[in-house]
Amino acid sequence: MAMPLSRIDRVGLLLATANSLSGIIWGANSVILSIYMLSIGISTTLIGIVLGLFSLMSALGSFIVGYLTDLMDRVRLFIILSIISGSLILLMAIGVPIIVSAAYLASALFNRYVVLTAMIGEYAKQRNVSDEVFSLSSSFNVVFSVVGSAIAVLPSYLGRLGYELTFIIEAIAVYLTIPLVLNAIRHLDPAVVNVRIERIDLRDLSRLHSSWLLKRLVPEAIIGLGAGVIIPLFSLWFYLKFHINIASLGVVYAVSNATLALGTLMAPTISRLMRSRVISVVMLEGLATGVLAIMPSIYDLPLLLALFIVRNTLMNMASPLLTSLINELVPREERGRVFGIWNMISSIPRAVGPSIGGYLMDVGYLDLPLYITSALYAVAVILFYVLLGGVEGRIRVIHGT
């Protein structure tokens, strides 16, 4: 494996680990969340609405936290958001539909990802290891998501107690990121923690040096819409169409995430072989889209599950490369806002998707969400190449910012 991990020191490993522990939440919730909501009396259509609102709240949170990230002490902000997020996850164990829905939605508002990504981005840029750090972070994230998927089998054996234990473990994962970040910052350049802007002014958006890049990230909105239609409902699709139980789904998601962990470690190698992050992203997402498009027509369950794993790996291998590209193109003092706005670009359309997917499944069109997502992904991949095909040449121009 050609990834020079030796270039990433102890600080980088601590930051990558802190940024990745939330994979436990993603791994567990991707299996149990929609089924848990169904079990406590929330309808399929309402589940889609809640999942959609989560993305909308995430978009709002990304925007607000992105500004705060460039305004105040990033570590202090991260600690506050982590404490709130962990506490909200604990509330979800109560099992009352209105409380579960409200806590889940509120957790999206306190978006810790933007803060930590900005800190990691500055660390990576200073050491010229953006591809390596973000790929390692993604791989760690997926490793932890395997743990989350394994934890998701608990409800199959423990019933309601299994759900409660799952949410407690998720909260602990959030709280553990605090000592990891505190340990890392002792060895960081103060520039990673301290920022330049002195006040919040929405008019600054039009004056960002990176505004040209944000305009070219429009395909992310289409990707977000497509992902929203089926990705958060994939476990429910398997559950309704093939009657796969939670324990079996947990195993499938664990294997899928383990495969993805290896795939994301290979992302920098693919980028170097293709000599372009943009071409690599287009290739990986294009192949993933093709696999997704044929999945509804497959009724051989082992083959279908294999295709699910392949699609998940290909699509998500592109993520660290795109993050790295944006990190290299964006000045230090704008990273919080740019990462926040980038997340918002994807999250707002993603908010609409689950309502569509949930409704279609509710009325019996189980496969239609997959076809819709495939079509949207195909459009996005083409636009991504058209709009971002030449941006890598700018990295040399802004080198050192």
Side-chain angles (χ1 to χ4, degrees):
M1 196 172 297
M3 181 177 169
L5 292 176
S6 60
R7 298 175 61 193
I8 303 175
D9 58 18
R10 179 174 175 272
V11 174
L13 289 173
L14 285 171
L15 290 174
T17 303
N19 197 40
S20 308
L21 270 171
S22 59
I24 291 177
I25 301 171
W26 179 69
N29 285 354
S30 62
V31 178
I32 71 165
L33 184 60
S34 57
I35 299 173
Y36 172 63
M37 288 180 170
L38 194 66
S39 73
I40 62 174
I42 303 177
S43 70
T44 306
T45 299
L46 190 55
I47 290 171
I49 292 172
V50 171
L51 295 178
L53 287 174
F54 179 88
S55 294
L56 193 61
M57 295 290 281
S58 179
L60 178 61
S62 296
F63 184 75
I64 295 172
V65 174
Y67 257 92
L68 293 176
T69 298
D70 287 343
L71 180 69
M72 62 184 288
D73 183 294
R74 289 171 174 171
V75 174
R76 183 177 303 170
L77 177 62
F78 177 77
I79 292 172
I80 293 171
L81 295 175
S82 297
I83 292 172
I84 295 173
S85 297
S87 301
L88 289 169
I89 290 172
L90 289 175
L91 281 176
M92 292 179 62
I94 292 177
V96 178
I98 186 66
I99 294 177
V100 170
S101 300
Y104 179 63
L105 293 175
S107 69
L109 189 62
F110 300 96
N111 195 324
R112 306 175 313 131
Y113 167 80
V114 175
V115 190
L116 196 48
T117 301
M119 288 194 285
I120 293 175
E122 181 59 24
Y123 162 85
K125 185 66 180 290
Q126 288 180 357
R127 290 161 176 77
N128 194 30
V129 288
S130 288
D131 278 359
E132 290 78 10
V133 168
F134 284 114
S135 291
L136 182 64
S137 179
S138 292
S139 294
F140 280 179
N141 185 283
V142 176
V143 169
F144 285 121
S145 73
V146 172
V147 176
S149 298
I151 292 169
V153 306
L154 289 176
S156 292
Y157 300 101
L158 301 177
R160 175 65 182 276
L161 177 61
Y163 287 116
E164 294 172 355
L165 289 175
T166 299
F167 291 125
I168 290 171
I169 293 170
E170 290 181 6
I172 291 172
V174 172
Y175 294 139
L176 283 176
T177 60
I178 297 175
L180 289 172
V181 170
L182 289 176
N183 195 343
I185 63 166
R186 292 186 301 166
H187 310 284
L188 286 176
D189 187 317
V192 176
V193 177
N194 300 317
V195 291
R196 297 179 184 175
I197 67 169
E198 298 177 353
R199 60 190 175 85
I200 295 177
D201 187 348
L202 295 181
R203 291 174 297 180
D204 289 342
L205 291 179
S206 62
R207 297 193 290 267
L208 286 175
H209 294 298
S210 308
S211 60
W212 66 271
L213 176 60
L214 291 170
K215 293 173 184 176
R216 298 190 185 199
L217 290 175
V218 172
E220 286 292 290
I222 303 174
I223 290 285
L225 176 59
V229 171
I230 187 58
I231 302 305
L233 298 168
F234 238 136
S235 62
L236 192 60
W237 181 73
F238 280 116
Y239 182 76
L240 294 174
K241 185 173 181 177
F242 297 98
H243 308 292
I244 303 178
N245 61 37
I246 293 178
S248 298
L249 282 173
V251 173
V252 171
Y253 272 76
V255 173
S256 176
N257 292 332
T259 305
L260 177 56
L262 297 175
T264 50
L265 280 175
M266 290 300 298
T269 301
I270 292 173
S271 178
R272 284 191 290 272
L273 289 173
M274 301 299 295
R275 298 183 179 181
S276 167
R277 294 183 181 98
V278 173
I279 296 298
S280 300
V281 170
V282 168
M283 179 189 71
L284 292 168
E285 292 188 348
L287 289 172
T289 300
V291 172
L292 179 64
I294 66 172
M295 284 181 63
S297 61
I298 304 297
Y299 286 87
D300 183 318
L301 190 55
L303 175 59
L304 180 63
L305 293 175
L307 290 175
F308 171 76
I309 292 170
V310 170
R311 188 222 69 86
N312 185 54
T313 301
L314 290 171
M315 195 72 187
N316 290 288
M317 280 175 70
S319 179
L321 296 179
L322 182 55
T323 305
S324 171
L325 175 65
I326 293 171
N327 186 63
E328 290 293 316
L329 289 166
V330 175
R332 179 182 73 85
E333 68 275 12
E334 294 182 2
R335 285 201 180 102
R337 283 165 289 173
V338 169
F339 278 123
I341 295 168
W342 172 38
N343 195 25
M344 184 177 69
I345 289 171
S346 172
S347 295
I348 290 178
R350 193 181 294 258
V352 180
S355 300
I356 298 172
Y359 172 77
L360 291 174
M361 288 186 182
D362 213 16
V363 298
Y365 295 105
L366 293 180
D367 292 335
L368 189 54
L370 279 75
Y371 289 124
I372 292 173
T373 296
S374 299
L376 290 170
Y377 278 3
V379 172
V381 169
I382 294 170
L383 285 176
F384 188 87
Y385 178 73
V386 171
L387 295 174
L388 290 173
V391 302
E392 288 174 293
R394 296 198 181 206
I395 292 178
R396 293 189 298 272
V397 177
I398 65 168
H399 180 71
T401 57

